[in-house]
Amino acid sequence: MESFDLKEHLTPFYDVFPEAPHRPVIGVTANFNDGMATMERAYYQQVADAGGVPVIIPPLSSQEAIINTLEHLDGLLLTGGADINPLWTGEEPIAQLHRINATRDLPELLITRLAYNRQIPILGICRGVQTMAVALGGRIDQDIDTARSLAAKTEPEAEGKKKGDKKKGAEEAAPAWTAPVKHTQEGDRNLPTHSVDIEMDSMLHEIYQRKRIYVNSFHHQAVADPGPHFHVTARAADGTIEAIESNEQKMLLGVQWHPECLEQDGLKLFEWLVRSADDFYAAKRIHERVLTLDTHCDTPMFFHEGVKFDQRDSRLLVDLHKMTEGRQDAVIMAAYLPQPKMGETFSSKVAFDVNTPKEYADLIFDKIEGIVRGNRGYLSIARTPADLYEDKRKRRKSIMFGIENGIALNHDLANVKYFAQRGVVYITLCHNGDNDICDSAVGCNTNDGVSKFGEKVIHEMNRCGLMVDLSHANERSFYDALDMSKTPIVCSHSNCRALCDVPRNLTDDQLRALARKGGVAHITLYGGFLRKEGQATVLDAIDHLEHAIRIMGVDHVGLGTDFDGGGGIPGLADSSELINFTLALLRRKYNERDIQKIWGGNWVRLMAQVQSQRKL
């Protein structure tokens, strides 16, 4: 007989668990029936059995409520239920559409999109996988049987494609699907009723370690097109999409069946979600304690388009919302100055009405200061390491000033001191083209390295506490500057030539020389500098980072994304995804101390050293 003695139930907790170990918090979307938010026990029980803490999320469409909810979640489970209104995808409802649940639609589409922006792991089940697709640009079949009937009518056309007419450029043959599978069942929900085939090299295959599994089926809507953010990883024998996963190195997985009813076999998916949520929780905790600094972005290049930094602006890869979503603390924004070619004027190369490079750099910094003034509760200009840590303590995002291309000095040595006093922390000596300071990696060897004026610039930068940045410089300029500078130099956004042989990347000898002088090299996310062919991903970025660590040591590396200047790859596409960099480091077994160094600790240490030599 069950005991109703509360003390008897509490005693084991008092005796054994003075402090409960952390378990990741999984938000579980509730169904809605007859004015009540409800949930089948199987969902929250499987989450608990997998090691998570289930928290029920009612169908509220308040964005503030959703955002605040997401702040406390480590993972999200989108549950099954009634159909989605096809109007959300711009389609009129067909006669065969079953019952929809309008109360759930908007709240769940919003929470999915906002969780996606925040890199929160998501598992979608039945209606949940359809919600994932619709929220992120995909499309659903309103009724599977109707969709299959329409497909059968076009079978002769498909058969023609199978035979192929190479002269007409026909596509590769489509798979020959079987007769329609029954996607509803009258038996027990824990009874598998049909098979699904799983794609190799998918998260689903990694979870099940099988090419074919058997699942239960009670649904009549399905994903028709997963949209741009997902790819199909499992199908039923009749071609119905049964699982989708993220294209972008995110922990997003949706299945059409009901694993919550499949006991141990279904538990595998919940264990995947809880593991992913636990990793996400660990990354969040690191971001709470560690300063995360991106040492190079080109967001000011878009200022002339009237962008809104305080909004989630689709034209930008770095804005206040994306920095918040990616839990990024600070960024060095470069005033990028294009190098005029012979016969060109600088004013013809920029969108604003200015006469000189110095005026242009000042205009960019004025605009950044205006953005900060308008958002002073959330943003701050940082000029020193102390400023960065004070901003993090006060939960403000920091922006630092950088100059990309020394032509900003207008061939006037006095402007080094001017920009140092304005708060600039580094100057990249050149860009894509030789200038009066040094030769570029893609230049014509005009100066045979660093010019005489360039040597004076470097010494003045040392005196004024400015970091000398050799990204974009050629090898001769690099070694000249390394010899001339009295303080260590930096490469704010440069990769490894051993992995991608392009002039902009650093050779192993350069990396060694840089480390010997105490400098740092920060890998960048420009795809063409990560690999010469194919699509670069976060894995390529980590490969470049680890190569630099093997050559230089972990005390000499970091990240300079080049966002808004061409940087951005799947998995690290904008500032909202930067927590994925931490996740990747954790999966490669880096400890928090090393992650702290990589995420800005090395750069800040060097900045402090350079600024300590300031004699203004």
Side-chain angles (χ1 to χ4, degrees):
M1 183 176 177
E2 184 176 356
S3 168
F4 291 93
D5 183 344
L6 183 60
K7 184 177 180 181
E8 178 183 334
H9 287 280
L10 288 176
T11 298
F13 290 92
Y14 292 144
D15 292 345
V16 181
F17 299 111
E19 182 178 338
H22 170 76
R23 302 179 76 184
V25 177
I26 310 296
V28 187
T29 55
N31 205 346
F32 187 82
N33 287 307
D34 300 325
M36 294 185 292
T38 62
M39 178 173 296
E40 293 185 18
R41 176 181 179 179
Y43 286 115
Y44 60 79
Q45 188 64 57
Q46 286 279 60
V47 169
D49 289 347
V53 176
V55 175
I56 298 175
I57 303 174
L60 291 172
S61 57
S62 162
Q63 291 189 39
E64 287 189 2
I66 291 172
I67 289 170
N68 279 277
T69 297
L70 291 173
E71 282 300 304
H72 299 281
L73 298 185
D74 305 315
L76 176 64
L77 174 63
L78 301 170
T79 61
D83 293 345
I84 295 174
N85 191 331
L87 290 175
W88 290 108
T89 64
E91 296 182 6
E92 293 294 332
I94 62 174
Q96 294 82 0
L97 178 70
H98 292 231
R99 183 175 63 88
I100 64 172
N101 194 325
T103 304
R104 293 183 66 177
D105 283 356
L106 181 57
E108 292 180 8
L109 292 172
L110 285 173
I111 200 168
T112 301
R113 183 74 206 195
L114 292 168
Y116 169 88
N117 290 343
R118 286 158 174 76
Q119 320 311 311
I120 296 174
I122 303 175
L123 172 62
I125 293 175
C126 195
R127 170 191 166 93
V129 67
Q130 298 154 23
T131 300
M132 292 167 71
V134 172
L136 294 162
R139 192 172 54 82
I140 53 174
D141 282 330
Q142 297 182 41
D143 179 74
I144 295 174
D145 291 338
T146 304
R148 291 290 159 264
S149 297
L150 290 172
K153 292 179 182 178
T154 62
E155 208 169 275
E157 178 184 344
E159 188 63 31
K161 286 185 178 180
K162 288 181 187 180
K163 293 177 181 177
D165 185 350
K166 293 184 179 179
K167 291 183 180 178
K168 294 182 180 180
E171 297 178 6
E172 187 178 337
W177 306 116
T178 67
V181 170
K182 185 177 182 181
H183 291 276
T184 58
Q185 64 186 74
E186 288 77 33
D188 292 340
R189 290 194 167 197
N190 63 359
L191 177 67
T193 56
H194 73 87
S195 65
V196 299
D197 288 330
I198 300 173
E199 294 291 326
M200 300 290 285
D201 300 322
S202 65
M203 289 190 290
L204 199 59
H205 188 271
E206 186 177 337
I207 291 166
Y208 280 98
Q209 296 293 306
R210 300 201 299 273
K211 179 76 171 65
R212 175 172 291 181
I213 62 173
Y214 295 89
V215 302
N216 51 356
S217 191
F218 33 102
H219 51 83
H220 36 77
Q221 279 192 343
V223 174
D225 174 6
H229 299 286
F230 297 102
H231 61 281
V232 177
T233 55
R235 290 182 185 269
D238 62 358
T240 299
I241 294 173
E242 292 279 350
I244 63 174
E245 296 177 9
S246 171
N247 288 333
E248 303 152 329
Q249 310 289 325
K250 302 187 185 204
M251 295 293 104
L252 307 175
L253 172 60
V255 299
Q256 184 66 69
W257 64 91
H258 283 267
E260 77 279 8
C261 301
L262 292 177
E263 300 173 343
Q264 287 299 311
D265 204 48
L267 183 64
K268 292 181 174 69
L269 286 170
F270 292 87
E271 289 172 336
W272 168 86
L273 176 62
V274 170
R275 283 195 305 271
S276 300
D278 205 30
D279 289 346
F280 184 66
Y281 170 79
K284 288 192 298 181
R285 290 292 304 275
I286 285 176
H287 279 243
E288 288 172 4
R289 296 187 289 260
V290 165
L291 177 73
T292 53
L293 169 66
D294 170 11
T295 56
H296 188 88
C297 86
D298 284 305
T299 305
M301 287 176 63
F302 290 85
F303 284 174
H304 69 281
E305 295 185 13
V307 293
K308 304 292 185 183
F309 189 83
D310 58 345
Q311 300 177 13
R312 201 173 200 281
D313 195 314
S314 61
R315 294 167 291 181
L316 297 177
L317 301 186
V318 182
D319 59 37
L320 184 55
H321 280 239
K322 295 185 184 76
M323 289 181 71
T324 301
E325 291 161 354
R327 298 171 187 267
Q328 175 188 356
D329 295 314
V331 63
I332 302 180
M333 283 193 181
Y336 158 67
L337 292 89
Q339 183 67 39
K341 296 178 182 177
M342 189 71 70
E344 291 181 328
T345 62
F346 178 79
S347 59
S348 69
K349 302 283 289 183
V350 294
F352 293 107
D353 184 18
V354 295
N355 293 317
T356 68
K358 176 179 176 294
E359 290 177 8
Y360 181 77
D362 270 332
L363 183 146
I364 293 299
F365 299 143
D366 288 345
K367 289 187 175 295
I368 295 173
E369 287 173 343
I371 289 170
V372 170
R373 280 195 301 273
N375 299 275
R376 58 171 53 95
Y378 308 99
L379 280 171
S380 176
I381 302 293
R383 295 176 171 83
T384 67
D387 291 341
L388 290 172
Y389 290 119
E390 178 69 3
D391 285 343
K392 184 170 179 66
R393 188 181 70 81
K394 292 184 175 179
R395 298 186 176 274
R396 294 188 302 238
K397 304 299 182 188
S398 298
I399 298 177
M400 302 191 106
F401 293 164
I403 290 176
E404 188 171 26
N405 197 349
I407 62 169
L409 300 177
N410 278 359
H411 202 76
D412 185 347
L413 212 57
N415 285 329
V416 174
K417 179 179 178 180
Y418 171 82
F419 282 121
Q421 291 176 327
R422 172 119 212 207
V424 170
V425 296
Y426 73 72
I427 298 176
T428 312
L429 297 189
C430 65
H431 193 253
N432 289 341
D434 303 342
N435 61 16
D436 57 350
I437 296 173
C438 69
D439 294 333
S440 166
V442 292
C444 305
N445 201 32
T446 305
N447 305 288
D448 194 24
V450 173
S451 69
K452 291 182 179 180
F453 173 68
E455 183 172 8
K456 294 177 182 178
V457 167
I458 290 170
H459 291 158
E460 184 66 1
M461 288 176 68
N462 294 162
R463 191 183 72 83
C464 294
L466 282 169
M467 303 168 90
V468 178
D469 181 16
L470 268 297
S471 298
H472 288 284
N474 70 5
E475 286 191 56
R476 181 61 185 269
S477 297
F478 174 91
Y479 286 113
D480 284 352
L482 204 62
D483 288 340
M484 294 170 182
S485 180
K486 295 181 176 64
T487 59
I489 66 171
V490 301
C491 292
S492 65
H493 57 302
S494 295
N495 288 338
C496 304
R497 200 179 300 183
L499 302 188
C500 183
D501 189 6
V502 295
R504 260 284 279 118
N505 287 345
L506 300 172
T507 67
D508 287 356
D509 285 343
Q510 286 178 287
L511 294 172
R512 290 187 189 96
L514 186 62
R516 280 196 299 269
K517 289 293 186 81
V520 295
H522 283 212
I523 63 155
T524 189
L525 303 180
Y526 188 88
F529 300 158
L530 289 169
R531 61 187 308 166
K532 295 183 75 171
E533 296 180 358
Q535 174 65 68
T537 71
V538 60
L539 300 179
D540 293 293
I542 297 297
D543 285 346
H544 277 261
L545 176 72
E546 293 197 314
H547 181 83
I549 290 172
R550 283 192 293 273
I551 301 298
M552 306 174 72
V554 74
D555 293 324
H556 301 278
V557 297
L559 179 67
T561 64
D562 208 12
F563 282 155
D564 290 319
I569 53 178
L572 292 170
D574 59 39
S575 282
S576 74
E577 298 190 354
L578 285 180
I579 196 169
N580 290 343
F581 185 65
T582 306
L583 282 163
L585 294 174
L586 286 171
R587 289 176 185 132
R588 297 286 180 101
K589 306 303 181 185
Y590 285 88
N591 60 39
E592 184 170 329
R593 184 166 178 266
D594 286 344
I595 291 173
Q596 180 270 334
K597 293 177 180 181
I598 294 166
W599 249 130
N602 293 333
W603 182 279
V604 172
R605 180 194 72 242
L606 183 54
M607 185 192 305
Q609 182 180 345
V610 171
Q611 291 186 353
S612 70
Q613 303 301 308
R614 180 176 292 170
K615 298 179 178 64
L616 293 179

